[in-house]
Amino acid sequence: SELIRGFLLSGMPCPSSCPPGLLALMAPGLALMATFSLPSQAGDRRALPVEKPPGVKGRTLILLDVNTKSPVRIISENFLSLQLDPSIIHDGWLDFLRDKGLVQDLLPQPLALSKVLAPDQEGRDQANGSSTRADTGPGLAISLFSFPFAVDIVRSDIALDKQKGCKIAQHPDIMLELQREKAAQMHLVLLKEQFSNTYSNLTLTARSLDKLYNFADCSGLHLIFALNALRRNPNNSWNSSNALSLLKYSASKKYNISWELGNEPNNYRTLIGRSVNGSQLGKDYVQLRSLLQLIRTYSRANLYGPNIGRPRKNVITLLEGFMKMAGSTVDAVTWQHYYIDGRVAKVTDFLKTRLLDTLSDQIRKIQKVVNTYTPGKKIWLEGVGVTSAGGMNNLSDSYAAGFLWLNTLGLLASQGIDVVVRHSFLDHGHNHLVDQNFNPLPDYWLSLLYKRLIGPKVLAIHVAGLQRKPRPGRVIRDKLRIYAHCTSYHNHNYVRGSITLYIINLHRSRKKIKLAGTLRDKIVHQYLLQPYGKDGLHSKSVQLNGQPLAMVDDGTLPELKPRPLRAGRTLVIPPLTMSFYVVKNVNALACRYR
């Protein structure tokens, strides 16, 4: 299950317009809300010297073993979820997205979570670069720039009384060209609104909601919808009248939706000229939970929040006030993280280990507050992107950005964060997974491999001479990062008990890894991702084991063929690369059973 920011969809494949290949990635392997979050064990950033085993020549040979007896973490099967920018609702992209299968391809399992940031019904969406998300399947998130739309949910004469099924509608090329022109014009309008901090209202019709839900449902996604929190009463409490209209309409259609309230509440003063403290925000969530319980369809619906921004001191204070008042009300606590300012990023930024490790500090801060008030409560990183402000062309959508993305996945899983929602699947900026021609970008292929190969059980690794006790996601000399999981149960190419390693090599030289212990003398399948073409790290194309990756046609992904390595062979990790290694037939006790 994957997430769509703003509106969350779970357990569904792509709608009729989504390229079947892309949607497939999202569907399998998302069974959200699997476990608990634990304190971080992988935050050590010190450079650790690699000791040479006796008799082994060369400083780069590393002995690697994995604890196969029991997992150190178990994350949600919906762990990797996606966002969809809210603007697709009114700029026309939603209709075309349904023609493609790209979202469904990201679903390795029957359920997926998708989150869409609802253009706040009658208020304004919310703050820069974030959206609301959901938790029941693969996800998509809405809102690249976090436009504060004022949204009204209105009944329409053309509202869909019945869903028209999931038949894929084919659009002629000329329609796609016209759509790109329309989207480009809207993009300029949205940029102007963003930089002037003045936003126009958006009316979300019943038909729009119907189309959105149908997209999620036909894509095998679970929809998470973020209600507008910016409508306030004179006493600064939440005005829920518009939200109640939406809830009643959705219930009348029997839509299976999870809910959120608002987005980045720490930025409300910028948006509406008044701030909302943590205690009041908590009361707003308690009010929303009461509304849900009054509506039979949603009496047991999931509720997520508060979707705060970067946990600086004032934001932590807001979160503490919220947890005191509503910690037991939400099913998962959510926050978001963007690594750098997209307007000043350069390719070397993505190779800095200090940047990669900034997320670890945030995880500890969030976990400390959550575990103080509601120990064991699930935590989601509900909006994450390489850069804010929409990103930068040839940087945040390039091969180099994958180093941050893959390390984010490994770090979050190793520290017990249950779900991560990637911003975004398709949007107007450059943080997305596919471009406006629906061509997969490097992070799409990275996400696809992750969904296909990585299961929810996280394993501890041990590198000879580095540590006495195995830890998940151990950092080796900062620039060589290794994570280990049980191989996905949904991948029928590998028997249960197999293990998947994923490795990031930020060194400008190759590194050699010798598998030891239970991994010794096992056949290994290599999935090595490298940039394709003359642009190097700036490239928007990738190759897998030396073969360029591209869609076979509009709805068909290429076969992701591994390179078999003979048993006992040393793994050679090329410089500045990302790779996955499936160690076959380990018969790991931790991985035999779900």
Side-chain angles (χ1 to χ4, degrees):
S1 297
E2 319 232 344
L3 303 153
I4 291 187
R5 187 171 189 173
F7 299 102
L8 283 161
L9 317 172
S10 110
M12 313 172 248
C14 241
S16 51
S17 294
C18 259
L22 291 177
L23 289 180
L25 162 59
M26 302 168 81
L30 291 168
L32 208 43
M33 318 255 301
T35 48
F36 45 88
S37 58
L38 297 174
S40 161
Q41 290 188 354
D44 191 350
R45 301 188 210 162
R46 295 173 299 169
L48 298 171
V50 176
E51 298 180 7
K52 290 188 296 182
V56 176
K57 296 182 179 180
R59 295 181 302 169
T60 59
L61 186 63
I62 296 163
L63 293 184
L64 172 67
D65 193 11
V66 172
N67 183 343
T68 60
K69 294 181 179 179
S70 60
V72 290
R73 302 280 190 272
I74 302 176
I75 54 177
S76 168
E77 297 222 13
N78 301 318
F79 174 71
L80 196 170
S81 293
L82 305 175
Q83 299 176 355
L84 209 55
D85 193 285
S87 59
I88 68 164
I89 295 173
H90 63 285
D91 70 6
W93 277 121
L94 183 60
D95 292 328
F96 289 85
L97 188 61
R98 293 181 55 193
D99 288 340
K100 311 299 179 182
L102 294 170
V103 174
Q104 287 135 331
D105 287 324
L106 283 171
L107 304 171
Q109 299 149 211
L111 286 183
L113 185 61
S114 164
K115 175 177 181 181
V116 177
L117 179 62
D120 289 313
Q121 307 77 17
E122 260 186 327
R124 298 169 5 206
D125 253 1
Q126 288 130 41
N128 299 320
S130 56
S131 334
T132 0
R133 300 95 178 165
D135 93 2
T136 5
L140 307 174
I142 261 190
S143 157
L144 165 60
F145 301 119
S146 285
F147 311 114
F149 299 120
V151 179
D152 291 308
I153 299 299
V154 298
R155 289 184 175 272
S156 169
D157 292 336
I158 58 173
L160 303 177
D161 294 325
K162 294 182 179 179
Q163 297 300 327
K164 295 182 179 179
C166 298
K167 183 178 180 180
I168 296 179
Q170 300 296 332
H171 292 91
D173 291 343
I174 185 62
M175 289 184 65
L176 185 57
E177 284 300 319
L178 292 173
Q179 170 60 29
R180 290 195 191 100
E181 293 178 10
K182 174 184 174 183
Q185 293 172 1
M186 176 164 288
H187 179 44
L188 294 176
V189 172
L190 294 176
L191 282 175
K192 182 177 179 180
E193 290 185 350
Q194 180 193 10
F195 290 110
S196 64
N197 201 33
T198 57
Y199 301 91
S200 57
N201 289 350
L202 168 68
T203 296
L204 181 64
T205 65
R207 181 180 178 86
S208 298
L209 181 59
D210 292 341
K211 289 170 64 175
L212 176 65
Y213 186 84
N214 195 38
F215 164 80
D217 190 40
C218 290
S219 300
L221 302 173
H222 175 79
L223 176 61
I224 298 176
F225 194 104
L227 296 164
N228 177 20
L230 295 179
R231 289 175 54 84
R232 316 301 296 182
N233 294 315
N235 64 357
N236 210 28
S237 63
W238 177 48
N239 184 330
S240 62
S241 58
N242 185 238
L244 184 58
S245 298
L246 185 148
L247 290 171
K248 288 180 177 179
Y249 176 78
S250 300
S252 72
K253 308 285 285 193
K254 294 183 169 51
Y255 288 160
N256 178 21
I257 299 176
S258 295
W259 303 94
E260 287 189 321
L261 180 60
N263 179 63
E264 284 195 286
N266 44 293
N267 284 338
Y268 285 179
R269 177 177 290 280
T270 301
L271 295 173
I272 57 175
R274 66 170 82 171
S275 60
V276 176
N277 61 34
S279 178
Q280 180 58 59
L281 186 63
K283 292 176 183 177
D284 298 340
Y285 266 78
V286 171
Q287 181 183 351
L288 174 54
R289 175 62 79 185
S290 297
L291 285 179
L292 294 174
Q293 290 173 342
L294 290 174
I295 300 172
R296 185 174 180 179
T297 303
Y298 300 122
S299 60
R300 296 185 179 182
N302 288 327
L303 177 62
Y304 307 102
N307 199 27
I308 56 174
R310 179 173 297 191
R312 297 185 176 93
K313 184 176 180 180
N314 64 315
V315 179
I316 288 294
T317 300
L318 186 150
L319 179 60
E320 288 173 337
F322 174 84
M323 294 302 297
K324 289 177 186 177
M325 182 63 60
S328 60
T329 299
V330 293
D331 295 286
V333 176
T334 61
W335 99 103
Q336 53 191 268
H337 174 69
Y338 294 86
Y339 282 94
I340 51 183
D341 184 344
R343 288 167 287 197
V344 298
K346 41 190 189 300
V347 72
T348 53
D349 289 338
F350 303 125
L351 308 179
K352 294 178 180 177
T353 57
R354 284 186 301 172
L355 180 64
L356 269 65
D357 292 330
T358 56
L359 180 59
S360 185
D361 293 334
Q362 291 199 19
I363 293 171
R364 283 193 289 268
K365 291 177 182 178
I366 298 293
Q367 287 177 330
K368 181 178 179 180
V369 175
V370 172
N371 291 327
T372 296
Y373 296 98
T374 55
K377 176 74 69 176
K378 292 170 185 152
I379 302 175
W380 290 10
L381 180 55
E382 210 183 60
V384 62
V386 171
T387 59
S388 61
M392 288 190 70
N393 189 28
N394 295 324
L395 285 176
S396 49
D397 51 3
S398 70
Y399 177 86
F403 296 123
L404 277 176
W405 177 225
L406 188 57
N407 188 69
T408 296
L409 294 172
L411 190 61
L412 291 171
S414 69
Q415 298 198 15
I417 302 303
D418 200 47
V419 169
V420 53
V421 182
R422 166 60 189 261
H423 183 90
S424 140
F425 184 74
L426 174 70
D427 56 38
H428 291 289
H430 304 285
N431 278 327
H432 40 238
L433 298 183
V434 300
D435 64 21
Q436 291 194 349
N437 293 312
F438 296 106
N439 295 314
L441 293 165
D443 278 6
Y444 179 90
W445 299 113
L446 195 60
S447 301
L448 181 61
L449 281 170
Y450 189 96
K451 296 291 291 183
R452 295 237 177 128
L453 300 176
I454 303 299
K457 292 184 178 180
V458 184
L459 304 175
I461 70 169
H462 183 271
V463 179
L466 290 187
Q467 62 216 36
R468 295 180 181 177
K469 295 181 180 180
R471 293 185 180 182
R474 189 62 177 177
V475 173
I476 305 170
R477 284 185 170 179
D478 287 333
K479 291 191 174 184
L480 184 64
R481 301 184 178 221
I482 304 174
Y483 300 94
H485 288 237
C486 294
T487 302
S488 173
Y489 299 125
H490 302 281
N491 192 323
H492 301 300
N493 293 321
Y494 302 107
V495 299
R496 292 192 181 184
S498 299
I499 287 173
T500 301
L501 308 170
Y502 49 110
I503 301 173
I504 303 167
N505 183 13
L506 294 173
H507 289 280
R508 297 184 180 275
S509 60
R510 68 179 186 174
K511 298 298 171 184
K512 297 180 180 179
I513 298 176
K514 188 74 174 176
L515 301 183
T518 54
L519 308 185
R520 182 187 295 115
D521 297 329
K522 301 295 183 184
I523 294 175
V524 175
H525 278 185
Q526 171 185 278
Y527 297 83
L528 173 63
L529 276 180
Q530 294 174 288
Y532 178 72
K534 62 183 180 180
D535 294 327
L537 295 179
H538 288 276
S539 178
K540 295 182 182 181
S541 300
V542 298
Q543 54 184 320
L544 177 65
N545 297 325
Q547 297 298 315
L549 291 177
M551 297 289 287
V552 176
D553 55 44
D554 278 352
T556 307
L557 286 171
E559 184 180 357
L560 303 179
K561 295 181 179 179
R563 178 190 176 195
L565 305 179
R566 62 175 172 77
R569 179 173 174 175
T570 297
L571 306 183
V572 179
I573 317 299
L576 300 175
T577 58
M578 297 165 281
S579 51
F580 296 80
Y581 294 89
V582 179
V583 187
K584 300 181 63 178
N585 305 320
V586 177
N587 198 27
L589 180 62
C591 305
R592 290 183 204 163
Y593 310 102
R594 296 185 68 168

